[in-house]
Amino acid sequence: SSAELSIWDNPQERIQLLQYLHESDIATNKEFSLRRKDGSIRIGQISLRSIEINGERCLLGITRDVTERAYLQNELIKAQRLESISVLAGGIAHNFNNVLTGVIGYISYAKKHLGDSGKVLQILESAENAAYRAAGLARQLLTFSQGTIPIRKPVSVDALLEESVSL
């Protein structure tokens, strides 16, 4: 209720509103912060008009608590940003996956034509494993972009360390 909205949280907002009123004698739907007696902050929207009663200048105003509306607007903006990030991540993952498919294919093709050349085969297998890991990252990006819950699985710390050191 408006009786609970008693203290302007930001005195600068009050000064700006009064300056605006001084210039135009009317203010419509101006937003400001209010601190309730319990200490919580609410968003108010006020419309004011300067009027004269018995030769004395007075203010006639209506104030509404628009905190919930402001909250919902902020949540909508967050959702739109997340959706944009999801679309971007999906596009990147799709293009990345296309490139990786070619890399993996060329590595497999080279391995078939090598025979048993030990060192080169080992290097190609490392490159192939790295490409598969990158493809896994692309799948994770696609999962994120589609809004589904990613699958978590345990990973060997030893294998992770060996992989990191070999890179």
Side-chain angles (χ1 to χ4, degrees):
S1 74
S2 61
E4 295 175 357
L5 300 174
S6 57
I7 302 169
W8 286 77
D9 188 51
N10 184 347
Q12 186 65 30
E13 289 175 339
R14 184 179 67 210
I15 292 168
Q16 288 173 347
L17 181 63
L18 292 174
Q19 286 174 341
Y20 189 81
L21 271 173
H22 182 70
E23 294 169 5
S24 65
D25 288 336
I26 190 167
T28 306
N29 297 329
K30 301 295 179 187
E31 289 193 5
F32 58 94
S33 301
L34 289 172
R35 183 180 306 275
R36 293 174 61 173
K37 290 177 184 177
D38 67 3
S40 64
I41 302 293
R42 306 298 286 179
I43 305 297
Q45 188 178 65
I46 191 166
S47 293
L48 288 172
R49 175 181 294 270
S50 179
I51 60 171
E52 196 171 303
I53 300 176
N54 296 331
E56 194 174 327
R57 188 170 174 174
C58 300
L59 292 177
L60 175 65
I62 298 172
T63 305
R64 290 182 296 229
D65 183 347
V66 295
T67 306
E68 296 303 317
R69 186 203 67 191
Y71 172 78
L72 290 174
Q73 282 178 331
N74 286 339
E75 290 300 308
L76 178 61
I77 289 168
K78 286 180 191 175
Q80 288 170 338
R81 285 183 186 154
L82 187 58
E83 183 181 352
S84 296
I85 290 170
S86 294
V87 169
L88 178 65
I92 290 170
H94 183 72
N95 290 330
F96 191 61
N97 213 21
N98 288 343
V99 172
L100 283 173
T101 299
V103 169
I104 291 169
Y106 283 121
I107 290 171
S108 294
Y109 185 67
K111 281 172 51 179
K112 286 180 183 174
H113 286 70
L114 257 182
D116 265 346
S117 298
K119 184 67 177 168
V120 176
L121 184 61
Q122 182 183 3
I123 290 169
L124 284 174
E125 284 176 349
S126 294
E128 186 177 34
N129 288 336
Y132 280 121
R133 284 191 311 275
L137 288 174
R139 275 191 302 282
Q140 288 176 358
L141 270 174
L142 282 170
T143 298
F144 169 75
S145 72
Q146 295 165 351
T148 56
I149 298 171
I151 298 169
R152 296 180 183 186
K153 61 181 179 180
V155 178
S156 164
V157 174
D158 290 341
L160 199 60
L161 285 174
E162 280 182 33
E163 182 181 311
S164 297
V165 169
S166 70
L167 290 176

